[in-house]
Amino acid sequence: MATTAQLFEWDTFNLVEPYSNLLFVEDVLYVIGTKGKLLLEEFENHIEELKQLDEKIQRKVEKLEHQCHREAKEFAHKVQDLQRSNQVAFQHFQELDEHISYVATKVCHLGDQLEGVNTPRQRAVEAQRLMTYFNEFLDGDLRSDVFNNPDKIKEAADIIQKLHLIAQELPFDRFADVKAKIASKYHDLERQLIQEFTAAQRRGEIGRMREVAAVLLQNIYIFCLPVCFVCPCQGAYMRNDVFEDTAALCQRVNKQVGEVFSSPETVMAKLIQNIFENKLQAHVREKLDETRHSDVEQYLKNLYDLYTRTTALATKLTEFNLGSDKHTFLSKLIKSIFSSYLESYIDMEREYLRTRGAMILQRYYDSKNHQKRPIGTGSIQELKERIRQRTNLPLGPMIDTHGETFLSPELVVNLLQETRHAFERCHRLSDPSDLPKNAFSIFLLLVDHLCVEHIDYALEIGLSAIPSSDAKNANLYFLDVVQQANSIFHLFDKQFNDQLMPLISSSPKLAECLHKKKEVIEQMEVKLDTGIDRTLNCMVGQMKHILATEQKKTDFRPEDENNVMIQYTTACSKVCAYVSRQVEHVRKSMDGKNVDTVLTELGVRFHRLIHEHLQQYSYSSMGGMLAICDVAEYRRCAKDFRVPLVLQLFDTLHALCNLLVVAPDNLKQVCSGEQLTNLDRNLLHAFVQLRVDYRSARLGRHFS
């Protein structure tokens, strides 16, 4: 039989180049035609083989399915048997549980019955035993071995404690003698136990200390603490620093307390309470009572220092186990020590600040040999203020301060330093509910001493020292007052933000403080504005005096028009020198936007003065040129102001002065120039009228 490979041998096909699909198909058809019978037989044989293989596989599948059904039935029977066995076992367990519960109930009932019988019996036996021992005390002969054998001190302590409790309930008149004997034995056993505890402590026998402490029972805290800790405390406080010694002591005994006592937290709490109520309280009382009435400043410093160190010590002690509410426990101990001092703290603080502030102020004025003038208050002073603000007139006699501003940086630093310490003490020593109120009261004292008694007083003196505007060669010191007052208030404002604000930021007192601060600022600003305004008037008056004395009419109408050799007049030179000095003075005295504001006002007044001054003269051609030179020098001086408005005003004035020298035919053209076109025609006409040739050249027709 031909194989498939033989039917499709490559040699059968025509694969000569070039390859053609058509030729390939023709070759295939040729092969099928010649060998088709062999290919059919091959297909039939393969189909027969596949049928036989399918039958064989089918028989194997049926066999496996039959085997699977048989095993499934066997497994199901086994599961049913196991379920029946489990159900039987569960029933047996239930029966056993019920039986156990029944037996347990019987046992409990029997135990209750036995206890009901045994407890009264034990009590009766114990009562009989105690009565026997009581009879021995009643007879006065302690025959029992338990009272005479030192090795049975533990048992004796238990018996004598019970007898001691019983004896306290007996009537005194009938059993006074026996009660005294029991008490004597009671204290004797306590003494023996304490001695034993002390001896064990010295030997470092922690186990024995623990046994003796357990014997003491209810008396453990009363008697063991003095023995265990008071003696070491005596040695621990040999140094001067009681706070460091206390922390070191507690750190040292904490481990021993935990090893000896079954309730170490109670023992440590009792130890700390004993230290606070005795050692610390005595130390605080000694430090404070000796200065409370003799040296208030030192008293406040000591109170702040002691309270701060005590709270710091309490913070360290919180690391020990003192019970569930150790923070409240320590707070109560601190309060018990300082409560009497804290109640009167703020009153003493205010009184100290009031006295201290007055002393600092008086010491400063004494160093200046100055007797403070009383500053009026009430309606009369308010009326004077209103008149002064509206008329800018000095009210009252002028004072010559000889250049003294009566403002002292050293005094201010001292006042602020005292207030800073007061705020720190207030923060530490005031109750949280009273803190904003107390801080506000300290702030009011600062306002009174610094702002009212010092700054405001200096402003009043400075205002009184400002000369009138027509004074000659006046020395203007008010700008120095402004400079120092400004610097002082910056320090005041810094303390307000740094020290006071954190204490009142979350309380209603914040609004009161801000209102008070605003009120103080407004009052000082009114006086500063008034003083600056009057000072500017004095400056202008001094310029006017220079112009009046130095400027001559012949300056602008020289006799010899061809022999003028100066660049600008003497009056102009002196005025510019004076103005430059004052501008520099203003810059040193002001800061921020205040510099531009004051210089703008001074520049406007300076321009107005020069403008009015120039209109007082008539000008020849050469005099007009000299006036232009003067204005050019004034304009150069105005550049020092660094204020655009002032420079613009002098630019315009310079353009106006050009009208004094321009040819008559060009007058109209100049008036229409960029700098003069927007000015009032009457103003232009007024300047043209200053020319000596105004009438002869008929210049008025240009403005008709």
Side-chain angles (χ1 to χ4, degrees):
M1 181 180 297
T3 62
T4 305
Q6 293 173 341
L7 293 175
F8 292 96
E9 292 178 352
W10 286 104
D11 295 341
T12 310
F13 300 99
N14 182 15
L15 299 177
V16 295
E17 296 294 342
Y19 176 76
S20 173
N21 292 335
L22 183 59
L23 292 176
F24 178 76
V25 173
E26 289 179 353
D27 290 342
V28 172
L29 291 176
Y30 173 75
V31 171
I32 293 175
T34 57
K35 300 183 180 182
K37 185 176 181 180
L38 294 176
L39 182 63
L40 179 60
E41 291 177 358
E42 186 68 23
F43 274 118
E44 289 177 350
N45 291 334
H46 280 294
I47 290 172
E48 187 64 28
E49 289 176 0
L50 290 174
K51 287 182 179 180
Q52 293 175 2
L53 182 61
D54 179 65
E55 291 176 358
K56 184 179 179 180
I57 293 173
Q58 187 65 32
R59 287 194 299 273
K60 188 175 182 179
V61 169
E62 291 176 355
K63 182 179 179 181
L64 291 173
E65 287 180 350
H66 179 70
Q67 183 179 356
C68 183
H69 287 308
R70 186 178 69 254
E71 291 178 356
K73 289 181 180 180
E74 292 176 358
F75 181 75
H77 288 306
K78 289 182 180 180
V79 170
Q80 290 177 357
D81 293 340
L82 290 174
Q83 287 180 342
R84 285 193 294 270
S85 299
N86 183 57
Q87 187 174 4
V88 172
F90 181 73
Q91 291 176 353
H92 289 169
F93 276 121
Q94 280 187 329
E95 293 174 359
L96 181 61
D97 183 62
E98 292 175 358
H99 187 66
I100 290 174
S101 299
Y102 175 75
V103 173
T105 303
K106 290 293 185 180
V107 170
C108 291
H109 179 66
L110 180 60
D112 292 340
Q113 289 181 336
L114 291 175
E115 184 179 4
V117 174
N118 188 54
T119 300
R121 179 180 174 278
Q122 287 182 340
R123 290 177 179 174
V125 172
E126 181 69 17
Q128 182 182 11
R129 188 166 67 97
L130 292 175
M131 290 174 63
T132 302
Y133 295 135
F134 186 82
N135 286 333
E136 293 184 9
F137 279 99
L138 193 61
D139 296 338
D141 183 15
L142 300 179
R143 300 179 300 275
S144 299
D145 183 58
V146 70
F147 294 121
N148 300 308
N149 189 349
D151 296 333
K152 295 185 178 181
I153 189 172
K154 179 178 180 180
E155 183 180 354
D158 179 63
I159 294 171
I160 201 66
Q161 181 187 10
K162 293 176 181 179
L163 290 176
H164 183 67
L165 294 175
I166 293 172
Q168 291 178 355
E169 303 296 329
L170 297 176
F172 182 78
D173 54 349
R174 294 178 55 189
F175 298 96
D177 184 56
V178 69
K179 291 177 70 173
K181 293 177 181 179
I182 292 175
S184 175
K185 188 64 177 178
Y186 178 83
H187 294 303
D188 182 58
L189 285 175
E190 286 178 343
R191 179 180 54 79
Q192 294 180 38
L193 287 170
I194 291 173
Q195 290 176 352
E196 179 64 23
F197 191 93
T198 304
Q201 181 189 18
R202 291 172 180 172
R203 294 191 301 268
E205 298 177 356
I206 300 299
R208 182 57 181 165
M209 292 170 64
R210 189 185 301 111
E211 292 177 3
V212 177
V215 172
L216 288 170
L217 296 176
Q218 300 297 330
N219 301 315
I220 187 170
Y221 307 125
I222 299 174
F223 296 101
C224 288
L225 275 175
V227 175
C228 188
F229 302 119
V230 169
C231 291
C233 287
Q234 300 298 327
Y237 289 98
M238 296 300 293
R239 294 178 293 178
N240 293 328
D241 196 331
V242 65
F243 299 98
E244 291 186 3
D245 289 342
T246 298
L249 170 67
C250 293
Q251 185 69 41
R252 186 172 65 252
V253 304
N254 181 57
K255 181 180 179 181
Q256 189 180 51
V257 169
E259 293 174 346
V260 173
F261 299 102
S262 58
S263 300
E265 67 279 1
T266 309
V267 177
M268 282 300 297
K270 184 67 179 178
L271 169 64
I272 291 173
Q273 181 180 355
N274 184 54
I275 293 173
F276 269 73
E277 292 179 350
N278 293 283
K279 197 69 179 180
L280 285 183
Q281 190 164 20
H283 177 72
V284 170
R285 187 180 295 112
E286 178 186 0
K287 288 287 185 180
L288 296 181
D289 289 353
E290 64 182 4
T291 58
R292 188 167 190 173
H293 302 291
S294 60
D295 189 349
V296 179
E297 179 182 7
Q298 190 61 43
Y299 167 79
L300 291 173
K301 290 180 179 179
N302 290 344
L303 177 60
Y304 174 77
D305 180 66
L306 291 170
Y307 189 83
T308 300
R309 300 195 67 186
T310 304
T311 53
L313 174 63
T315 302
K316 291 182 181 179
L317 296 179
T318 54
E319 67 183 55
F320 303 120
N321 184 9
L322 304 178
S324 58
D325 198 3
K326 52 188 173 183
H327 294 285
T328 304
F329 169 70
L330 292 170
S331 297
K332 289 181 178 179
L333 292 179
I334 295 174
K335 186 177 181 180
S336 67
I337 296 176
F338 290 96
S339 59
S340 60
Y341 302 105
L342 297 181
E343 289 174 356
S344 60
Y345 154 70
I346 193 60
D347 294 331
M348 298 190 72
E349 184 74 79
R350 284 197 296 259
E351 184 60 30
Y352 166 72
L353 285 177
R354 188 178 294 108
T355 305
R356 180 67 175 170
M359 184 192 72
I360 292 173
L361 288 167
Q362 189 59 46
R363 186 170 59 192
Y364 167 72
Y365 293 119
D366 289 345
S367 69
K368 298 295 181 180
N369 293 321
H370 175 75
Q371 181 67 36
K372 285 192 70 174
R373 300 174 58 213
I375 303 299
T377 58
S379 57
I380 297 178
Q381 180 66 16
E382 293 176 0
L383 178 61
K384 288 183 178 180
E385 280 295 326
R386 292 177 184 175
I387 296 173
R388 182 163 58 189
Q389 292 171 23
R390 295 187 180 184
T391 63
N392 202 20
L393 295 174
L395 299 179
M398 191 187 78
I399 300 175
D400 186 4
T401 62
H402 303 287
E404 178 61 55
T405 62
F406 290 103
L407 289 172
S408 169
E410 181 182 357
L411 178 148
V412 172
V413 169
N414 289 337
L415 286 177
L416 293 177
Q417 186 79 354
E418 292 290 345
T419 309
R420 182 176 69 83
H421 292 322
F423 280 135
E424 291 174 352
R425 291 191 291 264
C426 178
H427 187 199
R428 175 68 67 179
L429 302 176
S430 294
D431 187 87
S433 60
D434 296 330
L435 177 58
K437 178 183 65 177
N438 294 345
F440 180 65
S441 65
I442 294 174
F443 171 69
L444 291 180
L445 289 172
L446 175 63
V447 169
D448 183 58
H449 289 142
L450 180 61
C451 299
V452 177
E453 295 295 331
H454 191 58
I455 301 178
D456 190 71
Y457 177 76
L459 293 177
E460 286 288 345
I461 297 297
L463 287 172
S464 301
I466 297 175
S468 60
S469 59
D470 56 354
K472 300 177 182 179
N473 299 320
N475 292 320
L476 304 177
Y477 296 109
F478 190 80
L479 290 181
D480 297 331
V481 176
V482 173
Q483 177 188 8
Q484 294 188 23
N486 190 40
S487 300
I488 292 171
F489 195 80
H490 282 316
L491 296 176
F492 169 79
D493 189 59
K494 186 177 187 305
Q495 185 169 88
F496 181 90
N497 294 324
D498 295 346
Q499 301 289 329
L500 179 60
M501 285 295 289
L503 307 182
I504 61 171
S505 58
S506 58
S507 73
K509 287 294 180 182
L510 174 62
E512 293 186 45
C513 287
L514 292 175
H515 176 73
K516 184 64 178 179
K517 178 185 174 185
K518 180 182 178 182
E519 181 181 304
V520 170
I521 293 174
E522 290 176 349
Q523 290 176 355
M524 288 197 295
E525 284 181 345
V526 168
K527 294 182 179 180
L528 288 170
D529 291 343
T530 302
I532 292 172
D533 186 61
R534 289 172 54 190
T535 300
L536 295 181
N537 285 341
C538 288
M539 292 179 183
V540 173
Q542 187 68 19
M543 297 180 216
K544 187 181 295 185
H545 174 70
I546 294 172
L547 292 172
T549 56
E550 298 294 335
Q551 196 84 71
K552 300 178 177 57
K553 292 185 178 181
T554 57
D555 288 343
F556 302 115
R557 295 183 66 178
E559 297 178 357
D560 187 358
E561 292 280 338
N562 298 320
N563 193 24
V564 178
M565 304 299 295
I566 59 175
Q567 296 180 347
Y568 41 80
T569 63
T570 303
C572 173
S573 175
K574 291 186 177 182
V575 167
C576 289
Y578 178 80
V579 170
S580 296
R581 291 195 302 270
Q582 300 310 317
V583 169
E584 186 64 24
H585 196 181
V586 170
R587 290 195 182 281
K588 290 181 179 179
S589 304
M590 307 287 175
D591 60 359
K593 295 182 179 179
N594 293 329
V595 176
D596 293 338
T597 302
V598 174
L599 288 180
T600 299
E601 182 63 25
L602 177 59
V604 170
R605 297 187 186 188
F606 175 38
H607 168 267
R608 184 185 304 120
L609 173 66
I610 300 301
H611 185 276
E612 294 174 353
H613 173 71
L614 292 175
Q615 290 183 320
Q616 298 175 7
Y617 301 91
S618 58
Y619 301 86
S620 64
S621 177
M622 184 54 66
M625 291 299 295
L626 193 57
I628 292 176
C629 292
D630 279 3
V631 173
E633 184 64 15
Y634 291 136
R635 183 173 62 177
R636 186 198 61 76
C637 181
K639 290 181 180 179
D640 295 339
F641 285 75
R642 302 173 196 169
V643 177
L645 174 61
V646 176
L647 187 59
Q648 181 183 355
L649 290 173
F650 277 94
D651 286 341
T652 303
L653 182 60
H654 188 271
L656 281 172
C657 289
N658 288 331
L659 298 177
L660 302 176
V661 298
V662 70
D665 295 338
N666 297 330
L667 190 61
K668 190 171 184 180
Q669 180 182 357
V670 173
C671 290
S672 302
E674 180 181 354
Q675 292 182 316
L676 301 180
T677 185
N678 295 324
L679 296 182
D680 186 7
R681 303 283 290 181
N682 294 328
L683 177 61
L684 300 177
H685 192 194
F687 254 83
V688 173
Q689 287 178 330
L690 300 177
R691 295 172 56 142
V692 295
D693 60 349
Y694 173 75
R695 295 186 181 278
S696 61
R698 300 177 60 193
L699 299 180
R701 56 190 175 83
H702 295 286
F703 297 92
S704 57

